[in-house]
Amino acid sequence: MLAIQRLKEIEKILNEKGSVIISTLSRQFNVSEETIRRDLDKLEKTKVLKRVRGGAYLQSETDKQVPLEIREKIYLEEKHEIANKSIEFIQDGDTLMIDSSTTAVCVAQNINKYEKKVTVITNSIRVVEVFQDSKWVKIVCVGGSFRKRTKSFIGTQAVNQLETLYANKAFVSCTAVNRKFGVTDDSEREAEIRRKMIANSEETFLIADRTKFDNLESHLICGLEKINHIITDQKLSNEWEESLKKLKVDIVYI
């Protein structure tokens, strides 16, 4: 297949599915991943798509979030390692708040794997799917407006339902963590959900890989003082460690 034909096919797939994965396109067209990356770079220059690590997607005017299908492929090993560490803090009998992040889905998979007898409160369809056949986990899924890009429920109805629910522990992620401003998100509605989960839990675990730190998004989830533990995959700078120590935030490295 000529390069120009491949570009047209990739654009067609994007229009049909909304996003593409580099490894999948590489197998489909029988070319190297580097060739696909060059193809996507060309298409991005024509503003056909938005490139991200591992793939590309069509941007929506109403939702700038990277589609879940792509985020599930990014830093997957690190997310599983964070989830492996998180399971050490979960005991039978716990009630947990779990958000719609891809790292939280990995935590859910570990809960299922180790057959933890817990109650899980979530706004994530993906998390519900993990436990749909579980004999051990009781699921409480809040409803509301469905956000396709994250496969999650958001909005006033979801927040109101969380208002009457409480947990021992919350496992939440974010888009960015900033030493001055705290934990932030690129979605106002997801930030509302995470803020309420943190407020209604006795203990909060921020599960965030190294790419989240020293960045800033527009919607505040909470200040760092609201977080009890941060579980991450790479050692933080001395400045970060000093700041978190002053706030009595426990840092857990994988």
Side-chain angles (χ1 to χ4, degrees):
M1 180 182 289
L2 297 175
I4 191 168
Q5 293 175 307
R6 192 172 58 247
L7 288 172
K8 289 181 179 178
E9 285 297 313
I10 292 173
E11 190 171 348
K12 180 181 177 182
I13 294 169
L14 269 166
N15 287 327
E16 290 174 352
K17 298 184 176 181
S19 64
V20 291
I21 305 296
I22 288 174
S23 58
T24 302
L25 292 178
S26 173
R27 291 191 298 271
Q28 181 174 340
F29 293 109
N30 196 28
V31 295
S32 69
E33 292 190 4
E34 186 56 39
T35 296
I36 296 297
R37 289 189 187 94
R38 288 196 295 269
D39 288 344
L40 296 180
D41 286 341
K42 291 176 183 176
L43 289 172
E44 185 176 38
K45 288 176 182 177
T46 64
K47 298 184 179 179
V48 169
L49 54 80
K50 175 69 175 177
R51 283 276 280 116
V52 291
R53 187 178 187 271
Y57 66 101
L58 294 177
Q59 282 192 306
S60 165
E61 290 300 319
T62 58
D63 197 336
K64 304 298 184 183
Q65 174 68 275
V66 179
L68 186 65
E69 291 79 7
I70 294 179
R71 290 188 294 113
E72 287 179 331
K73 307 290 184 182
I74 301 174
Y75 295 105
L76 187 58
E77 182 179 348
E78 291 84 350
K79 291 172 182 177
H80 279 297
E81 289 177 347
I82 289 171
N84 288 337
K85 179 59 69 172
S86 298
I87 203 71
E88 297 178 13
F89 299 92
I90 298 172
Q91 286 81 41
D92 287 347
D94 278 344
T95 296
L96 311 172
M97 297 270 194
I98 298 181
D99 72 3
S100 61
S101 65
T102 52
T103 308
V105 174
C106 292
V107 172
Q109 290 168 345
N110 263 15
I111 292 171
N112 206 35
K113 176 182 176 181
Y114 291 102
E115 297 184 346
K116 293 289 185 178
K117 300 176 179 62
V118 297
T119 297
V120 170
I121 301 167
T122 187
N123 68 320
S124 167
I125 290 293
R126 282 282 200 267
V127 170
V128 172
E129 289 174 343
V130 169
F131 297 125
Q132 62 185 351
D133 297 319
S134 174
K135 298 178 181 178
W136 315 108
V137 178
K138 177 183 176 182
I139 296 289
V140 178
C141 183
V142 300
S145 300
F146 186 62
R147 188 184 184 202
K148 294 180 180 179
R149 291 232 159 167
T150 54
K151 304 294 188 292
S152 63
F153 292 103
I154 57 173
T156 303
Q157 186 177 348
V159 173
N160 287 344
Q161 288 182 42
L162 283 172
E163 188 76 51
T164 62
L165 297 169
Y166 298 90
N168 305 99
K169 298 161 187 171
F171 287 85
V172 299
S173 192
C174 61
T175 309
V177 194
N178 185 278
R179 278 200 301 134
K180 180 178 180 180
F181 295 103
V183 187
T184 60
D185 205 280
D186 59 1
S187 165
E188 180 181 7
R189 295 301 183 88
E190 294 286 358
E192 289 175 342
I193 294 290
R194 290 172 171 140
R195 188 182 309 123
K196 182 55 64 176
M197 286 183 168
I198 291 168
N200 283 21
S201 297
E202 294 178 331
E203 195 173 6
T204 296
F205 294 79
L206 180 66
I207 45 178
D209 65 63
R210 62 185 178 275
T211 64
K212 307 293 178 68
F213 291 87
D214 294 313
N215 292 315
L216 180 66
E217 287 293 345
S218 53
H219 301 289
L220 179 68
I221 297 174
C222 69
L224 289 168
E225 73 280 356
K226 300 291 185 180
I227 303 298
N228 301 109
H229 313 273
I230 292 177
I231 304 179
T232 190
D233 62 310
Q234 187 168 290
K235 192 176 188 303
L236 301 178
S237 67
N238 291 335
E239 291 80 8
W240 263 107
E241 291 193 342
E242 284 299 317
S243 295
L244 294 173
K245 184 178 180 181
K246 289 179 182 177
L247 295 172
K248 298 182 180 179
V249 179
D250 177 39
I251 310 171
V252 181
Y253 296 117
I254 61 175

